[in-house]
Amino acid sequence: VIGVQWVSLVTENLLGHPFIVQRRQCQVFNASNRYHLHPLSLLPSILHLHKRQGITTLWKGVGSCVLVRGMSLAMDDIISKITGWPKEVNSRTAPKRFGQHILLTCISIGVIVPFYAASLVETVQSDIASEKPGLFDVFREGSIRLIYWSSPKKGRMLPAWALIGPSVSLGITKYLFNLVIRGVSSRIMRSRVTILQTKHEDKFRNDILEHQNAEIYANLIAMLTTEVIFYPFETILHRLQLQGTRTIIDNLDNGYAVVPILTNYQGVVDCYHTTKFSEGIFGLYKGFGAMILQYVTHLTVLKLAKWIVSKIGETLSNRPPSKIVQYYNTDGDIGNSSPSISSAELEVNSIGGSSLD
């Protein structure tokens, strides 16, 4: 199970990054003609980008994304040590402690917002039309946004205070929604495992393994449901964070050209109305096909990892005990007077060892 959890973590943060890049580029491209609401329309553009710019263009900004996630975890830890508020909660957490945890999460999200916006720029900007950022440029750009709190350095860029409110609101709402869905999904998955165990007792020998697998899938269900529900709000937030950064992105209508992002939104409400008026309601769902590809890939990798782990477990469980193999050493020297054993006896001993376990 540790192996499956590790694979899930790597898939979420690394293998799924190319789809996050395409998804964000579609979200911020307000002048696009193709919305890429399903995966099939996005695949030709991905192939064209790969041929023209190489495979690395699909992983641009991965370093800054990992750094921002690390900053978020570090910020949670620092705030928790200073205030004594809990970093994690469960169903047995007292209401007061739960409220402290929510406050900790809000502060952490608010501090990280400028650095997340800087990471967003690195993720969507075109490699052939922009300078490649350094590994720690995200800290410099994020700090500049934080320093220029009320008067941004560039013309149309929104000030940090105008971004922190919507970002914290969306972040904490998504977090709470994810907690609820994950709790419900976990109970349903655990009940399903228990029912299957009663019907097929011979197929579910490891209760801990099955319940931990259920937790992994419950977490995936919660992530997918949350992303689908809050996708339009994320589109609005990304457009506000990118505004005024003079970013040039790849044109995903064809995958060949590059285009600048020029917007002049006054805030969340103005961005919503402008997008709905000029692009229609589906303009808020641009790049939805990339998210479908992301979670299809995630589920496929999880299924494959679970199958490999189960096969390894079956192979190890069917091996005879090591003491028996050493005692009946059929590969030993001819001169040694080690007793011989027939295949039938070895099979009986293996079955007996398994039953004792």
Side-chain angles (χ1 to χ4, degrees):
V1 174
I2 295 176
V4 177
Q5 290 176 337
W6 182 82
V7 168
S8 178
L9 184 63
V10 171
T11 303
E12 180 183 349
N13 293 280
L14 294 179
L15 297 183
H17 188 76
F19 307 111
I20 295 176
V21 170
Q22 305 305 311
R23 164 182 166 182
R24 291 179 176 180
Q25 283 186 317
C26 291
Q27 286 179 315
V28 300
F29 189 10
N30 60 307
S32 63
N33 296 319
R34 306 183 68 179
Y35 288 12
H36 299 301
L37 299 177
H38 56 84
L40 296 180
S41 68
L42 192 61
L43 291 177
S45 298
I46 295 177
L47 293 176
H48 294 161
L49 284 175
H50 169 61
K51 290 180 180 179
R52 191 165 182 237
Q53 302 183 31
I55 192 66
T56 55
T57 190
L58 300 177
W59 268 274
K60 56 189 174 185
V62 64
S64 64
C65 288
V66 173
L67 287 175
V68 169
R69 289 189 181 99
M71 285 182 62
S72 179
L73 295 175
M75 188 59 59
D76 289 346
D77 188 61
I78 292 172
I79 297 174
S80 178
K81 287 181 178 179
I82 294 175
T83 62
W85 298 342
K87 294 187 295 182
E88 298 177 354
V89 293
N90 52 44
S91 57
R92 295 183 296 273
T93 303
K96 181 180 178 180
R97 299 286 288 173
F98 184 79
Q100 292 173 342
H101 172 73
I102 296 302
L103 188 56
L104 178 148
T105 306
C106 290
I107 296 174
S108 178
I109 294 173
V111 173
I112 296 299
V113 166
F115 303 95
Y116 179 88
S119 173
L120 174 66
V121 174
E122 295 185 11
T123 305
V124 301
Q125 68 182 4
S126 174
D127 281 345
I128 61 174
S130 309
E131 295 183 2
K132 288 192 176 182
L135 181 61
F136 300 104
D137 281 0
V138 64
F139 296 117
R140 178 172 60 85
E141 295 296 330
S143 299
I144 290 175
R145 278 205 164 192
L146 199 58
I147 291 172
Y148 291 94
W149 175 263
S150 58
S151 55
K153 190 177 180 181
K154 299 176 183 178
R156 296 182 179 180
M157 183 183 293
L158 293 176
W161 64 265
L163 294 175
I164 288 178
S167 299
V168 171
S169 299
L170 178 61
I172 197 63
T173 305
K174 287 180 67 175
Y175 176 71
L176 292 174
F177 185 83
N178 184 281
L179 280 181
V180 174
I181 298 299
R182 186 170 57 189
V184 173
S185 301
S186 178
R187 291 187 179 183
I188 294 175
M189 296 292 289
R190 285 177 176 271
S191 300
R192 181 174 175 271
V193 169
T194 304
I195 293 173
L196 290 176
Q197 284 177 339
T198 57
K199 292 182 178 179
H200 309 281
E201 294 182 358
D202 55 332
K203 295 184 180 180
F204 293 90
R205 296 178 180 176
N206 195 332
D207 294 348
I208 298 177
L209 178 65
E210 293 301 325
H211 282 292
Q212 288 182 340
N213 281 332
E215 287 295 330
I216 293 174
Y217 284 107
N219 185 50
L220 182 61
I221 292 171
M223 288 170 53
L224 176 58
T225 306
T226 303
E227 293 297 331
V228 170
I229 296 297
F230 293 96
Y231 194 91
F233 304 98
E234 183 186 73
T235 299
I236 294 173
L237 194 60
H238 282 169
R239 293 188 177 190
L240 294 177
Q241 291 173 340
L242 196 69
Q243 179 171 295
T245 58
R246 301 171 185 172
T247 303
I248 300 175
I249 69 170
D250 299 307
N251 186 345
L252 291 183
D253 283 348
N254 49 44
Y256 292 112
V258 295
V259 292
I261 300 299
L262 301 173
T263 57
N264 191 24
Y265 305 121
Q266 302 302 314
V268 173
V269 177
D270 180 58
C271 181
Y272 169 76
H273 287 299
T274 303
T275 302
K276 186 178 178 182
F277 176 77
S278 59
E279 304 169 55
I281 192 64
F282 288 108
L284 298 170
Y285 289 91
K286 284 183 175 180
F288 194 81
M291 191 187 71
I292 296 175
L293 283 175
Q294 176 186 348
Y295 281 96
V296 167
T297 302
H298 197 155
L299 181 60
T300 303
V301 172
L302 276 183
K303 289 282 188 181
L304 180 61
K306 182 181 177 183
W307 180 80
I308 293 174
V309 170
S310 64
K311 289 299 179 182
I312 294 175
E314 289 177 5
T315 302
L316 294 177
S317 63
N318 290 332
R319 291 177 58 185
S322 58
K323 291 183 179 179
I324 294 178
V325 175
Q326 292 174 2
Y327 182 76
Y328 297 102
N329 186 7
T330 57
D331 296 331
D333 296 334
I334 299 177
N336 293 340
S337 59
S338 57
S340 61
I341 183 171
S342 64
S343 60
E345 292 173 335
L346 183 59
E347 184 177 358
V348 169
N349 282 316
S350 299
I351 295 174
S354 301
S355 62
L356 290 173
D357 293 336

